Structures are given as C-alpha cells and as structure tokens.
Amino acid sequence: MDEIVAALAAQQDELDGILRHATDADWDAPTPCPGWTVSDVVLHLAQTDELALASAEGRIAEAAASWTGADGAGTVDDRAGALVAQERGAPPQQVLERWRAGASAVRHAFETVDPSARLTWVAGRLAARTLATTRLCETWIHTGDVAEALGVARAPGPQLEQIARLAWRTLPYAFARDGKKLAGPVAVELTAPDGGRWVFGDPSTATTTVRGAATEFCEVAARRRDSAASGLTATGPDAQNVLGLVRTYA
C-alpha cells in the first residue's frame, strides 16, 4: 500500500505543478474529454476524490446520494458528466483548492486504512489497495488530459508500474464485462520509462503475452491511445481481445 500511496502522491504533485502555473484562460481550454474544459476535469477529480474519501471513511451511502442524484439513469460516465455540469462555474482558484483538499485527504485516508478492507465504490466492492490504485490511474489519465490541453510536455514516471499492474490484473473483469472469457493466463512484459523491465504474470506458462513500452500499454488501457497506433505486440489466442479490452479500472 505504501508504494501505491507514494505513486498517488507523485501523480498529484505532477498535476499540481501544471495547474500552479495555469492562467484563467488556461482553465477554460478544451481537453481531450469531450465537452470538458481544464476546469471541468479538475472539478471531476475533486468530486471523485471526495467520493473515494467517503468510501474509505465508511460514509459512502451519504456521499453517493449526490452522485446518483446527479443523474438517476445512464452509465457511470453519464452520472459523472451530470455532476460536473451541476457544479461547474466556480472560479479557478476555488476549483484548485477544492481538488487539493480532497486529493490530500484521500491520500492520507489510504495511508491508514487496512489495504485488504473491502470498500464500496461505484463499480461494487473493492479492496482498499485497489481503490487507491484506481485513484492513481484516474489522476494520471486526467493529468495527461490537462497537459495536452495546455501544451505541457510530460515525463513518464515510476508510478506507471502500479497502473500497468492494475490493468493486467483486471483483465478477467474487463473480459467478463464484454461477455468474454480468457482462454488462459496472460503475461505482460513491458519496458519501463527508465529502460528497466516490468513483468506481470508468468511468460513461461501464459497462453497470451503482451510486449511493448509501459507508457503505451498504460495509454491504451486508459483509452488515450489506439492499440493499432502503438508499438505493442500480443501473441496467443486472446491477443486481439486483450489489446481491445484492457482497462485501467477495477
């Protein structure tokens, strides 16, 4: 859990560093999230960090009422969009301070919670360590959205290891959501940003193996890059489906 919390802190610091230098006009810039500005993206992160904090503190039912009340129907994404629409319009500094407060609070909550405790989340019940990793994933994804909107170059960091591990570990869930079943174990062999090697699963017994750059694997799993436009390769009976279904969610 310590490694996950440290990675989350590093990711929050990266986003904070970008936002610290943003002008008021920057906050209105469109992002890769359709219909969302930089301000909307940061507001969404604040809202979801607050919801994760409520989950870690055992008061999810109260917090979820506002979430589900934002839009009683539709997908989780639909409800997230509705909640952003309800609360958008605050001054940039207010949005920034709200996100900073929620980000700090949820990080500290994860430092004290039992990593194996089962917490309620929008996708069901998750281990605390898994929920913490999903917060890392979402913060990383939206840091990229903000950076792209503002033309800021990013340097991939070691926190990608936790993101890539979650994407690999939740492949059975991703397949099940699509009505499919894995033919056998999947191994992922990735080149880390520092040139090292990250391996998830056992390549000697896997029926399907994915290889490539860790950054590209995470971008594909985050739906920010088409696997066909990456250097990732996959072999085995589930090769095509793995690259099409891998996700950074639990």
Side-chain angles (χ1 to χ4, degrees), residues 53 72 115 118 236 238:
L53 176 63
R118 303 297 292 180
D238 290 314

Side-chain angles (χ1 to χ4, degrees), residues 2 8 13 45-46 51 53 84-86 102 125 136 141-142 153 156 167 173 176 182 193 198 205 226 240:
D2 289 346
L8 177 59
D13 286 345
L45 279 175
L51 188 64
L53 176 63
V84 166
Q86 281 186 5
R125 291 182 65 78
L136 165 63
I141 290 168
H142 289 312
Y173 175 76
L182 285 164
W198 295 337
T205 60
D226 189 323
Q240 183 175 355

Side-chain angles (χ1 to χ4, degrees), residues 19-47:
L19 295 173
R20 192 179 303 123
H21 302 290
T23 65
D24 285 354
D26 288 338
W27 283 82
D28 290 329
T31 70
C33 300
W36 280 10
T37 64
V38 167
S39 183
D40 291 333
V41 167
V42 179
L43 172 60
H44 170 67
L45 279 175
Q47 292 168 337

Side-chain angles (χ1 to χ4, degrees), residues 128-195:
R129 65 168 61 87
T130 302
L131 181 55
T133 311
T134 66
R135 297 314 305 149
L136 165 63
C137 292
E138 186 161 19
T139 306
W140 176 75
I141 290 168
H142 289 312
T143 298
D145 294 333
V146 171
E148 183 173 336
L150 303 185
V152 176
R154 303 180 69 194
Q159 60 265 42
L160 290 182
E161 183 175 7
Q162 300 297 334
I163 297 171
R165 178 180 285 110
L166 180 70
W168 163 75
R169 186 163 56 84
T170 56
L171 276 169
Y173 175 76
F175 269 62
R177 278 179 59 108
D178 201 57
K180 296 181 173 63
K181 185 177 180 179
L182 285 164
V186 177
V188 177
E189 301 180 47
L190 303 173
T191 303
D194 64 0

